[in-house]
């Protein structure tokens, strides 16, 4: 038998660990969503930006852009977009675990984070690198979602906005992003759910989230199946309502789509 | 009518694919204040490209556009400042679907010109009144017919109080019964002395409302004249051929 009543009873004795784990997972995911989304927005705008700082090098004496040659290529170079592309490709092409370890063991090796317990249970000096790693990673994925959302908006919208005299930034803010975000909400919801699930990886650096609770109970009781069942249920109770809540917002935002 | 030039187009070229496609191949034309200039020509002749170059939605490969004395093809100028003064109306309306009609109209005045919202609203309502759509101020674009959308697009541009209005086939995407209501608004605008550049296949409109007609083919300006010149007395073979097909 995998599951025994005794096993569940033992697990129940350690329920406080799950509650702490739940609090930790929720904080971890929520902060990741916030920071990840902000960074993703910045990355997406960077990738789609139209900044050509060297374009003055490609101007001829009448102030027109040259068509060909090295200077013309330099004139078209957009360092901001280039940096964002490198970032996205790098984070999407390497394992999350590697990124987490690099952040925790290398980047934060010499950074002093005050070690205290958040909400009385979360070890702050491990929690912060976890949030950072998760945010950096999810930002790469989210930015691709946002970018495709932005690009899916009909070019006529930008043309109309620009012809009214709106700057590129105003066009983004008032015209493109509100429409794009509405379109990509399902994909974003998906990514939020992924973040909740992926946050379990932080157990490997000793962040006291749900999987950490499972490991602790296993160590104390030598039971694994029952704590895992509980963990599964807790994760499901987190992710399922999350997607439902976002679906609700999606419906609310679709005003203007229907007659 | 004064003869001061509002837009001067000088030897404008727009190439695609490194010159394989010459959408515009050296077009020069002066547009005077108060002109209603109608641009006609076969499909692919560069009419849209010319129109869209006027407010730099299309960046010309060569040549210049002097708008109210400023060369706007010069990279060093702030194009947004000049675009505000050129209203544009598109074939597919391009209303902002997530904003109500009123919001569509006041966005640019409030955000670009920094006009107080109340003042912008009053102006917008006045314009809506004029095109008979005041009761739709709080509707969303999807709730309007094509003809209504295009009338909104026109007044949205007018909210910025432009010096010139550019129209790219404003009636081509409309059901035939809605063409009239849009042309009527344009006619009224022309009668008020608005400078207009209109790309259209509506030859009736060109004759009746236009004071100048440009005929384009293969990216070039082939013939230019009054509606009588162009329609009654076409010179070039290209134009005669074109007219025989469309009239
Ligand atoms: N982005 C582009 N890339 C390549 N070629 C283009 C592009 N835009 C326009 N062209 C070409 O430039 C030429 C002129 O196009 P334009 O849209 O100005 O024609 P038009 O006179 O407006 O035609 P229509 O009556 O069909 O609207 C066409 O041959 C077109 O295929
Ligand atoms: Mg066209």
């Amino acid at each position: 038998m995998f599951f025994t009543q005794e096993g569940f009873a033992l697990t129940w004795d350690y329920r406080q660990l799950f509650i702490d784990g739940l609090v930790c997972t929720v904080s971890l995911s929520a902060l990741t969503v916030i920071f990840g989304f902000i960074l993703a927005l910045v990355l997406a705008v960077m990738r789609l930006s139209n900044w050509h700082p060297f374009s003055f090098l490609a101007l001829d004496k009448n102030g027109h852009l040259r068509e060909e040659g090295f200077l013309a290529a330099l004139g078209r170079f957009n360092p901001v977009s280039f940096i964002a592309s490198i970032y996205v490709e790098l984070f999407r092409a390497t394992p999350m675990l590697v990124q987490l370890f690099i952040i925790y063991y290398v980047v934060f090796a010499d950074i002093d984070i005050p070690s205290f317990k958040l909400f009385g249970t979360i070890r702050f000096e491990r929690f912060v690198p976890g949030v950072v790693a998760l945010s950096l990673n999810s930002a790469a994925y989210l930015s691709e979602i946002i970018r495709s959302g932005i690009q899916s908006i009909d070019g006529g919208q930008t043309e109309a906005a620009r012809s009214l005299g709106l700057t590129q930034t105003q066009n983004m803010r008032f015209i493109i992003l509100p429409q794009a975000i509405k379109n990509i909400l399902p994909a974003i919801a998906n990514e939020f759910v992924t973040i909740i699930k992926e946050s379990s990886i932080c157990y490997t650096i000793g962040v006291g989230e749900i999987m950490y609770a499972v490991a602790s109970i296993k160590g104390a009781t030598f039971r694994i199946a029952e704590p895992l069942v509980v963990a599964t249920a807790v994760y499901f109770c987190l992710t399922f309502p999350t997607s439902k809540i976002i679906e609700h917002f999606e419906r609310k935002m679709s005003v203007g789509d229907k007659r | 009518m004064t003869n001061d030039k509002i837009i001067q187009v000088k030897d404008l070229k727009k190439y695609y694919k490194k010159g394989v496609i010459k959408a515009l191949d050296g077009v020069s034309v002066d547009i005077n204040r108060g002109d209603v200039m109608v641009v006609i020509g076969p499909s692919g002749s560069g009419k849209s490209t010319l129109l869209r170059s006027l407010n730099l939605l299309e960046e010309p490969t060569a040549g210049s556009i002097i708008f109210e004395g400023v060369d706007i093809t010069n990279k060093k100028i702030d194009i947004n400042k000049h675009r505000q003064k050129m209203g544009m109306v598109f074939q597919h309306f391009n209303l902002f679907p997530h904003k109500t009609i009123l919001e569509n109209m006041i966005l640019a005045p409030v955000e670009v010109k920094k006009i107080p919202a109340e003042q912008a609203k009053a102006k917008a309502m006045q314009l809506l009144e004029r095109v008979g759509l005041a009761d739709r101020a709080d509707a969303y674009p999807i709730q309007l017919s094509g003809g209504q959308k295009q009338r909104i697009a026109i007044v949205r541009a007018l909210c910025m109080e432009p010096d010139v209005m550019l129209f790219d086939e404003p009636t081509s995407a409309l059901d035939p019964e809605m063409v009239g209501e849009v042309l009527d608004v344009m006619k009224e605008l022309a009668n008020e002395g608005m400078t207009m550049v209109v790309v259209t296949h509506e030859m009736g409109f060109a004759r009746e409302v236009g004071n100048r007609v440009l005929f384009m083919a293969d990216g070039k300006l082939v013939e230019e004249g009054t509606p009588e010149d162009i329609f009654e007395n076409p010179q070039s073979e290209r134009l005669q051929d074109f007219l025989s097909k469309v009239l």
Side-chain angles (χ1 to χ4, degrees), chain B:
Chain B
M1 203 185 302
T2 56
N3 241 23
D4 82 296
K5 296 178 177 119
I6 182 163
I7 301 177
Q8 291 169 275
V9 179
K10 292 184 175 165
D11 200 21
L12 201 64
K13 292 181 179 150
K14 175 70 183 182
Y15 294 169
Y16 289 106
K17 308 205 171 116
K18 300 203 167 184
V20 178
I21 300 175
K22 295 181 169 149
L24 288 179
D25 195 11
V27 172
S28 300
V29 64
D30 290 348
I31 302 166
N32 302 317
R33 225 172 266 279
D35 268 353
V36 177
M37 179 180 277
V38 180
V39 184
I40 61 172
S43 181
S45 56
K47 307 180 296 293
S48 297
T49 309
L50 173 64
L51 194 78
R52 293 156 52 79
S53 298
L54 294 182
N55 67 353
L56 245 60
L57 280 187
E58 217 73 75
E59 220 168 275
T61 309
S64 51
I65 296 157
I66 319 287
F67 175 57
E68 299 185 328
V70 180
D71 181 358
I72 57 172
T73 59
N74 189 324
K75 285 267 165 236
K76 290 166 199 151
I77 59 114
D78 175 15
I79 185 63
N80 298 313
K81 223 175 71 197
H82 302 281
R83 276 199 186 121
Q84 294 172 35
K85 292 187 247 160
M86 300 196 226
M88 189 157 204
V89 176
F90 304 86
Q91 183 174 354
H92 296 287
F93 330 126
N94 298 349
L95 296 180
F96 307 131
H98 60 303
K99 293 190 173 292
T100 65
I101 300 311
L102 196 61
E103 288 166 353
N104 262 274
M105 294 176 71
I106 66 169
L107 176 70
V110 170
E111 298 299 335
V112 177
K113 277 185 149 181
K114 310 289 177 204
I115 291 173
E118 284 314 310
Q119 199 180 321
K121 268 184 203 166
K123 163 109 189 151
M125 286 311 296
Q126 212 179 325
L127 283 162
L128 281 175
E129 207 78 60
R130 275 186 43 190
V131 293
L133 289 170
D135 56 329
R136 309 313 306 274
D138 295 320
Y140 282 91
I142 192 135
Q143 297 169 311
L144 304 184
S145 72
Q148 290 174 328
K149 279 185 207 167
Q150 197 61 301
R151 283 186 278 157
I152 297 298
I154 294 172
V155 287
R156 177 177 71 178
L158 289 177
C159 277
M160 290 297 280
E161 303 184 322
D163 294 341
V164 55
M165 286 283 286
L166 313 173
F167 295 84
D168 192 0
E169 303 199 26
T171 58
S172 294
L174 298 178
D175 292 337
E177 73 268 22
M178 292 173 183
V179 170
E181 64 190 66
V182 172
L183 291 182
D184 284 344
V185 172
M186 291 169 62
K187 219 177 287 180
E188 203 179 307
L189 205 53
N191 290 337
E192 284 164 18
M194 174 64 80
T195 309
M196 293 162 62
V197 183
V198 186
V199 174
T200 187
H201 294 296
E202 296 289 332
M203 297 303 154
F205 178 85
R207 265 182 212 220
E208 191 188 337
V209 186
N211 71 324
R212 294 169 69 190
V213 179
L214 301 189
F215 172 68
M216 291 184 66
D218 299 330
K220 293 194 178 73
L221 187 55
V222 176
E223 214 168 317
E224 199 220 303
T226 64
E228 294 79 59
D229 293 340
I230 295 290
F231 292 110
E232 316 302 342
N233 195 13
Q235 302 296 313
S236 65
E237 210 172 300
R238 288 298 305 258
L239 178 54
Q240 288 162 5
D241 185 45
F242 175 74
L243 290 176
S244 73
K245 280 181 190 144
V246 298
L247 290 182

Side-chain angles (χ1 to χ4, degrees), chain A residues 163-191:
Chain A
S163 74
L164 285 165
L166 271 72
T167 63
Q168 190 54 45
T169 313
Q170 290 173 321
N171 174 37
M172 270 293 158
R173 178 168 155 215
F174 297 114
I175 308 302
I176 304 301
L177 283 182
Q179 295 184 63
I181 294 204
K182 191 183 81 189
N183 291 353
I184 60 182
L185 224 47
I188 291 185
N190 213 354
E191 181 61 24

